[in-house]
Amino acid sequence: MKVSGNGQGKILSQEELKRLFTEGFLTPRDRALFGICLFTGCRVSEALALQTTDIKSGAITFRKSTTKGKHKTRIVDIPPGLAAMLGEYQLKSGAMFPGMRGVTERLTRFMADKILRDACKRIGVEGVSTHSFRRTALTQMSSAGIPLRTIQEISGHSDLGTLQRYLEVTPEQKRKAVSVIGF
């Protein structure tokens, strides 16, 4: 859990996610931004770099030029929960999350972090960072038995070792793992 900017962002529980998206985030823009981070496992900077043209045919395209490391373009399908959030957010052409007119072309990472901190404060959750959504998404996929190679394709990690550091292992998962041993 992140404390004073140190450590990894917290993995959010189902209840915390529900409360964040219903009570914490106040605008359709904020729900759309962090919904993209959660449902695609992307980094907040990748979501902020999106153009409205990057969303079409039921998928989001994260262009190579806007991903960390700039290794390859990723295309991620839009699940129904995210589609609903995007439907509430009135998209205009250009930047998906525009900044202040005349000041910044798009919403900044600093502002996205402030939006998240304010939302977490409203619902009383600590240890959350913008990266929590990515860690939560990847951990949920892993817990659901999705193969690591598939998760790697979605997340864009260049190697499995880096991806594995993101994933949280719960005490229940450890108990289940050792319970299958025997003869």
Side-chain angles (χ1 to χ4, degrees):
M1 181 161 65
K2 209 156 187 121
V3 178
S4 300
N6 297 300
Q8 289 188 312
K10 173 184 178 144
I11 304 274
L12 295 158
S13 70
Q14 293 291 334
E15 181 60 29
E16 290 167 332
L17 286 169
K18 183 178 178 185
R19 290 186 56 226
L20 257 178
F21 282 94
T22 57
E23 304 166 33
F25 297 127
L26 301 178
T27 68
R29 178 203 65 188
D30 299 346
R31 286 187 287 278
L33 171 60
F34 290 102
I36 288 171
C37 293
L38 176 65
F39 285 98
T40 67
C42 75
R43 297 168 182 88
V44 73
S45 57
E46 293 170 339
L48 291 170
L50 288 171
Q51 298 289 314
T52 54
T53 54
D54 294 327
I55 298 178
K56 61 182 169 201
S57 303
I60 298 178
T61 300
F62 296 98
R63 290 171 274 118
K64 176 181 177 177
S65 62
T66 63
T67 62
K68 183 178 177 182
K70 301 176 181 11
H71 294 296
K72 70 182 203 177
T73 295
R74 294 191 326 269
I75 299 173
V76 181
D77 290 335
I78 298 173
L82 178 56
M85 288 178 200
L86 294 174
E88 286 180 27
Y89 182 48
Q90 299 300 311
L91 303 174
K92 297 172 177 73
S93 62
M96 182 79 182
F97 302 103
M100 294 172 45
R101 290 180 204 187
V103 180
T104 60
E105 178 187 348
R106 60 185 45 121
L107 195 65
T108 63
R109 286 178 53 195
F110 175 80
M111 192 62 199
D113 184 60
K114 183 179 182 336
I115 290 165
L116 178 59
R117 280 185 281 120
D118 290 347
C120 288
K121 191 174 186 180
R122 267 189 286 285
I123 66 165
V125 176
E126 295 180 354
V128 179
S129 75
T130 56
H131 223 56
S132 291
F133 296 93
R134 182 168 167 82
R135 292 193 70 225
T136 299
L138 303 180
T139 297
Q140 283 183 358
M141 285 186 256
S142 175
S143 296
I146 305 298
L148 283 179
R149 181 68 188 97
T150 303
I151 298 171
Q152 182 184 20
E153 269 303 301
I154 293 168
S155 71
H157 282 100
S158 56
D159 67 67
L160 290 173
T162 304
L163 170 58
Q164 287 178 316
R165 285 195 295 272
Y166 271 75
L167 307 177
E168 186 172 271
V169 178
T170 66
E172 176 60 29
Q173 288 170 315
K174 289 190 271 187
R175 278 191 292 279
K176 186 177 176 182
V178 297
S179 74
V180 301
I181 301 168
F183 49 92

